[in-house]
Amino acid sequence: MTTRRNFIGAAGTAAAATLLTGTASQAAQATAADTTTARNNILQVDTDMRTNYDRLRANVLQQLGPVIVVENGMQGGKYTLVHQGRQFIEEPISQIFQLAKSIAHVPLGIFSVIAPSLDPKVPAGQTDMDARDLQLVAYAGPSNTDWIAPLQAFGTDLDTARRTLEDAELPSDLKASCAHILDAGLTYLNEITRRRTFDMPGFQKFTGKIADDIKTNMYWAAKVQIEAVKDLFGRWKDKVGADAWHELYVVVLSMWTTSELNQNSIIIKHLMDQGMADSHLIDLVCEAPSIPNAVHVALDNLARIVMDNIAAEMVFSKDQRLADALKGRPDLLSQEILTLLGDTDATANAAALNACPFHTKTKAKQALINA
C-alpha cells in the first residue's frame, strides 16, 4: 500500500539519484572537454611546426642554385638552369628524337585501338602476362568491332607519313627502318580490318618482324639526345664555373612509369662531377610529363630535401639509421612498421637500399682531395 510517507520517500530517492546522475554526467562532460582541449593543444604543436617548416622552406628555396630542372617530354626534355636568381631555358634535343620515336610507336598506336577487343583469355604459353590485367584491358571482348573505324583513320595517317617519308631528310638507316615499320603496320592493319578480326599471336607476329627496325629508331633517339645534353651541360658548366658546378643539383621530373632509369637521368649522371649524382641527382615523380609551374615544384621539393639533410643530422644525431631515413625517401616509420610486422628481410633490404647518399658524397669529395 502506498502511503504519503512512502511516496515522498520514493520521490526523494529519485531526485537524489537524478542529482547524482546529473553531477556524474557533468563531470564526464567536463573530463571529455578537458581531454579534447588537451589533445588540441598537443596537435597545435605540430601545426606550429609545419607553419615554421613551410616558412623556412620558402626562404631556402630562394637560396638554391645552381640547379638544373629537367622536364621530360615528347621533344626529349626541357632544361632550365637556375643560377644567381636567373633562369636559362633550352629545349636542346634535335627533332630526330621525336621523329624516330614517332614511327617506333606505330605498334603501340595499333595496340591502343584494338586492345579493348582482345580475347580476355591469356593464350597458352604466354607465361609473362597477368590474367587479370588482360581482362581489364580487353574489356569489350573479341565480338566488338568498334575498333575498325579508328584503326582505318590511324592507317590514313600512316599512309600519309609513308608517302612523304623521303622528304623528311632522315639519316639513311633511320629512313629505312621507318619505312619498314610503316609498311608492316599498314599491311597488318589493312589485313585485320578486311577480316574484321584479329588475335594476339597475329599481332605479335607483326611486331616480331619489325623488332630490329624499332631498335634502329631507338638508337637514333638515344644518340641525338646524348649529344644534345652533353653539349648543353658543357656550355652551362662554363657559365656557372667549376666550383659551383661541383655542387650542382639536378631535379628530373618524370611519370612513375619512366622514373626508374629515366633516359635523361642516365645521361646526366655521366655528366655530373664524380660521385655527386648519388646525392645531387633527384628523380621526382609527377602525375604528367609536363606540369604547370614545373620549375617551382622542383625547387620546392629540393628545398625540402636540402633542409632535411641538415635537420637529419641535428634531430637524429645519435641514430644514423633514422638520420638516413629523414634524408632519403623512406618514411620515418617504415623501419618500425617492418620490425613490428616481423618482416626482417624487408627491414634489411630497406636499410641497404636507402643508405644515406651523402655517405657516398663524402667519399667522393675525399677522392677528389686525394687525387
Side-chain angles (χ1 to χ4, degrees), residues 112 199 291 318:
S112 300
D199 57 23
I291 58 175
K318 301 298 183 182

Side-chain angles (χ1 to χ4, degrees), residues 24-90:
S25 177
Q26 291 173 358
Q29 290 175 3
T31 301
D34 289 344
T35 299
T36 299
T37 299
R39 291 187 172 188
N40 287 340
N41 291 340
I42 291 172
L43 293 174
Q44 185 61 41
V45 173
D46 193 57
T47 299
D48 292 345
M49 181 281 292
R50 294 181 185 279
T51 299
N52 294 331
Y53 186 94
D54 290 343
R55 184 182 299 113
L56 175 60
R57 186 173 77 247
N59 289 326
V60 170
L61 187 153
Q62 301 302 319
Q63 315 305 316
L64 295 174
V67 179
I68 294 176
V69 177
V70 184
E71 300 169 66
N72 283 283
M74 292 188 296
Q75 81 284 7
K78 180 180 179 181
Y79 284 70
T80 301
L81 170 65
V82 180
H83 180 54
Q84 295 179 342
R86 298 179 61 193
Q87 293 187 12
F88 305 89
I89 303 172
E90 291 199 31

Side-chain angles (χ1 to χ4, degrees), residues 22-261:
T23 303
S25 177
Q26 291 173 358
Q29 290 175 3
T31 301
D34 289 344
T35 299
T36 299
T37 299
R39 291 187 172 188
N40 287 340
N41 291 340
I42 291 172
L43 293 174
Q44 185 61 41
V45 173
D46 193 57
T47 299
D48 292 345
M49 181 281 292
R50 294 181 185 279
T51 299
N52 294 331
Y53 186 94
D54 290 343
R55 184 182 299 113
L56 175 60
R57 186 173 77 247
N59 289 326
V60 170
L61 187 153
Q62 301 302 319
Q63 315 305 316
L64 295 174
V67 179
I68 294 176
V69 177
V70 184
E71 300 169 66
N72 283 283
M74 292 188 296
Q75 81 284 7
K78 180 180 179 181
Y79 284 70
T80 301
L81 170 65
V82 180
H83 180 54
Q84 295 179 342
R86 298 179 61 193
Q87 293 187 12
F88 305 89
I89 303 172
E90 291 199 31
E91 295 182 18
I93 317 299
S94 163
Q95 195 181 28
I96 292 295
F97 174 90
Q98 291 177 265
L99 297 171
K101 290 187 67 176
S102 179
I103 301 304
H105 286 158
V106 166
L108 190 57
I110 296 174
F111 163 83
S112 300
V113 176
I114 67 174
S117 302
L118 283 165
D119 187 332
K121 298 175 185 175
V122 177
Q126 195 77 46
T127 57
D128 292 334
M129 188 170 290
D130 184 279
R132 179 54 181 159
D133 287 352
L134 176 57
Q135 291 173 1
L136 293 172
V137 172
Y139 55 83
S143 62
N144 176 65
T145 57
D146 290 347
W147 54 271
I148 294 177
L151 191 62
Q152 288 174 328
F154 186 51
T156 298
D157 287 341
L158 298 189
D159 182 64
T160 301
R162 180 65 180 93
R163 286 187 289 102
T164 58
L165 183 63
E166 288 291 333
D167 298 329
E169 298 184 353
L170 301 179
S172 58
D173 57 339
L174 177 59
K175 181 173 67 176
S177 63
C178 287
H180 292 160
I181 294 169
L182 288 167
D183 288 342
L186 284 165
T187 298
Y188 176 73
L189 70 83
N190 286 331
E191 181 181 303
I192 65 173
T193 52
R194 185 180 65 255
R195 295 201 321 260
R196 301 176 67 85
T197 186
F198 65 91
D199 57 23
M200 190 180 297
F203 181 85
Q204 292 171 324
K205 182 178 180 181
F206 146 60
T207 56
K209 292 178 180 178
I210 55 175
D212 288 340
D213 297 305
I214 291 175
K215 289 178 182 177
T216 298
N217 284 41
M218 292 170 64
Y219 162 81
W220 274 100
K223 173 181 167 60
V224 298
Q225 187 174 31
I226 291 171
E227 290 173 350
V229 176
K230 278 185 174 181
D231 175 71
L232 178 65
F233 268 55
R235 290 187 283 109
W236 279 356
K237 184 174 183 178
D238 292 338
K239 181 186 291 288
V240 304
D243 291 341
W245 187 263
H246 180 68
E247 296 295 340
L248 171 76
Y249 272 103
V250 180
V251 182
V252 180
L253 295 96
S254 59
M255 295 186 296
W256 179 86
T257 51
T258 59
S259 60
E260 190 72 19
L261 288 179

